[in-house]
Amino acid sequence: MKIMHVVGARPNFMKLAPCHRAFAALGDVEQLVVHTGQHYDDAMSDSFFRDLEIPPPDINLGVGSASHAVQTARIMERFEPVALEHGPEWVVVYGDVNSTAAVALVCSKIDLRLAHVEAGLRSGDRSMPEEINRLVTDRLADLLLTPSRDADENLRREGVESNRIVFVGNVMVDTLLHGLPRARKELMREQLGLREGEYALVTIHRPSNVDAPERLADLMRALGIVARQIPVVFPVHPRTRSRLSASDRGALAAVNLLDPLPYHRMLDLTAGARLVITDSGGLQEETTALGIPCLTVRENTERPVTVTEGTNQLAPDPRELVRLALDARANGHARRPEGWDGRAAERIALALVAHVPAG
Ligand code: UD1
């Protein structure tokens, strides 16, 4: 069986790693990794391949940054000949980034079978580019591999046939459980002078939080206030860095701003934090898996089990955020949702083998 994995942006790489291992363990599976080049900096891309021990991509489409339409179009244009040349039994796409939706469009038109890892998540918010990518990809994929039962429900509600949906659990948690022992040896806290359980970790990069200067300023002021009470460390995504004004930087004077971190260093900081303040999808899941309180700076989440079963709380209002951050304490509540057990990738590999067409 020939599998072509297509990844493009940072959160895809953590999902590819356990799947690549699971297919390798099956034996007799040829795997090709295509990187679209949506993320291209060492800190956003190559460091993850090294850190997570993923073989370097076989093909890099080198699309780089551009508007959503141009980036999507470039991926489609450059991916189509690669897909036609290699003709895999399955193309596997991950998550909700532009690369995911672009590849789904190509595969559906040249009749290549497509599997979507992390299918069925919905925020209900079509102003998020990721929500559009989820809707398009799930509409087109042949096999929808879901991380949680709410995702199955969402797909059924949209009229997806049951035989296209396979509940597999959460592959991000596979990566987390596999990497945690190594992460805890990174000693990031010591290097930054932080004490276990006594600091806040922040990541903010969503367009809805960083693209409007007033919204960004309100959030940065709130983080500055939190930093007067407890140490705050903030690895800054390139999108956010490019938007910070001089006065935002002033508000953040007490915050420890870092460049984006490789996977294990980030996981070490997450596992040792008193709380996490974020708008990332992955961190909402990682904090639930680790039992660390998480404040999600958004009006909604496509990952509701992190709120109903996990440690996540929505905190879209910057003034409320300060109060909630200063009150946050771990309460030992570390229940992992069904299928968040470190074996999702094995189930994905088996599902693809079971669904491969005869002949
Ligand atoms: C993308 C995903 C988002 C994901 C995020 C994680 C989409 C629609 N969004 O958003 O779901 O949470 O990745 O990082 O696909 N840049 C660099 N170096 C890089 C990559 C990007 O400097 O390696 C800069 C770009 O020039 C651009 C900005 O970061 O200005 C945004 O990059 P882009 O890939 O367009 O989207 P993200 O905001 O990263």
Side-chain angles (χ1 to χ4, degrees):
M1 181 166 75
K2 193 194 277 187
I3 304 272
M4 181 179 276
H5 306 269
V6 190
V7 289
R10 184 170 63 176
N12 290 164
F13 311 139
M14 290 86 114
K15 293 164 198 162
L16 165 64
C19 293
H20 200 279
R21 269 199 308 280
F23 282 109
L26 285 182
D28 209 22
V29 177
E30 186 188 342
Q31 302 193 72
L32 280 168
V33 175
V34 178
H35 189 326
T36 65
Q38 178 176 346
H39 283 177
Y40 44 85
D41 284 349
D42 187 76
M44 297 295 287
S45 177
D46 294 2
S47 77
F48 285 82
F49 280 78
R50 288 195 300 273
D51 215 22
L52 297 168
E53 295 173 356
I54 311 166
D58 298 284
I59 297 151
N60 193 317
L61 304 178
V63 299
S65 300
S67 72
H68 284 263
V70 170
Q71 191 175 58
T72 306
R74 271 190 203 146
I75 297 166
M76 291 178 68
E77 195 175 9
R78 296 183 194 182
F79 177 67
E80 186 184 51
V82 169
L84 287 169
E85 182 191 337
H86 292 278
E89 266 86 32
W90 281 107
V91 175
V92 185
V93 290
Y94 298 85
D96 56 15
V97 302
N98 285 343
S99 302
T100 312
V103 165
L105 278 164
V106 172
C107 289
S108 62
K109 294 194 178 185
I110 56 176
D111 208 17
L112 276 180
R113 291 174 66 78
L114 181 76
H116 182 204
V117 174
E118 202 184 87
L121 298 185
R122 297 290 182 269
S123 66
D125 176 358
R126 290 199 184 189
S127 69
M128 285 181 80
E130 294 81 3
E131 183 75 352
I132 308 301
N133 293 337
R134 294 180 198 116
L135 288 164
V136 168
T137 307
D138 287 342
R139 204 70 198 164
L140 300 176
D142 298 283
L143 198 58
L144 301 170
L145 302 157
T146 61
S148 49
R149 294 291 180 189
D150 57 281
D152 298 8
E153 288 293 312
N154 292 335
L155 293 170
R156 276 197 285 270
R157 205 172 329 110
E158 290 172 14
V160 175
E161 309 83 335
S162 301
N163 62 1
R164 282 172 60 210
I165 307 171
V166 181
F167 171 78
V168 290
N170 191 327
V171 281
M172 285 285 277
V173 177
D174 292 16
T175 306
L176 183 149
L177 296 177
H178 184 80
L180 195 56
R182 180 176 147 197
R184 299 303 345 233
K185 295 192 189 117
E186 291 284 339
L187 305 178
M188 273 304 283
R189 280 154 296 123
E190 284 78 350
Q191 287 167 30
L192 295 169
L194 300 166
R195 285 214 295 261
E196 178 94 1
E198 295 188 14
Y199 61 92
L201 173 65
V202 174
T203 76
I204 300 283
H205 75 279
R206 297 240 94 82
S208 58
N209 282 328
V210 307
D211 285 1
E214 273 176 33
R215 169 79 184 164
L216 181 62
D218 285 348
L219 279 175
M220 297 305 111
R221 263 196 302 275
L223 295 178
I225 296 168
V226 175
R228 285 191 223 137
Q229 305 293 321
I230 52 170
V232 175
V233 58
F234 181 2
V236 187
H237 188 286
R239 168 187 282 279
T240 309
R241 193 169 285 280
S242 71
R243 304 290 195 274
L244 289 176
S245 67
S247 78
D248 292 333
R249 287 178 189 277
L252 293 171
V255 174
N256 191 351
L257 300 178
L258 306 176
D259 287 331
L261 293 170
Y263 179 78
H264 290 97
R265 290 183 164 204
M266 184 67 184
L267 179 55
D268 184 35
L269 278 187
T270 309
R274 174 157 121 196
L275 80 148
V276 171
I277 299 173
T278 191
D279 58 9
S280 138
L283 267 166
Q284 294 175 55
E285 299 179 339
E286 288 162 339
T287 46
T288 276
L290 291 164
I292 306 284
C294 180
L295 297 174
T296 294
V297 189
R298 286 177 41 190
E299 301 275 352
N300 46 54
T301 178
E302 61 290 330
R303 292 164 161 91
V305 285
T306 61
V307 176
T308 55
E309 296 184 38
T311 53
N312 191 17
Q313 190 176 351
L314 296 179
D317 178 346
R319 279 161 307 179
E320 273 288 280
L321 180 66
V322 173
R323 185 183 63 74
L324 292 171
L326 297 179
D327 286 352
R329 293 282 180 285
N331 60 7
H333 179 87
R335 194 174 128 196
R336 291 199 187 121
E338 182 188 356
W340 294 32
D341 58 357
R343 305 192 64 178
E346 279 173 44
R347 292 188 282 269
I348 288 171
L350 293 175
L352 263 65
V353 171
H355 285 78
V356 80

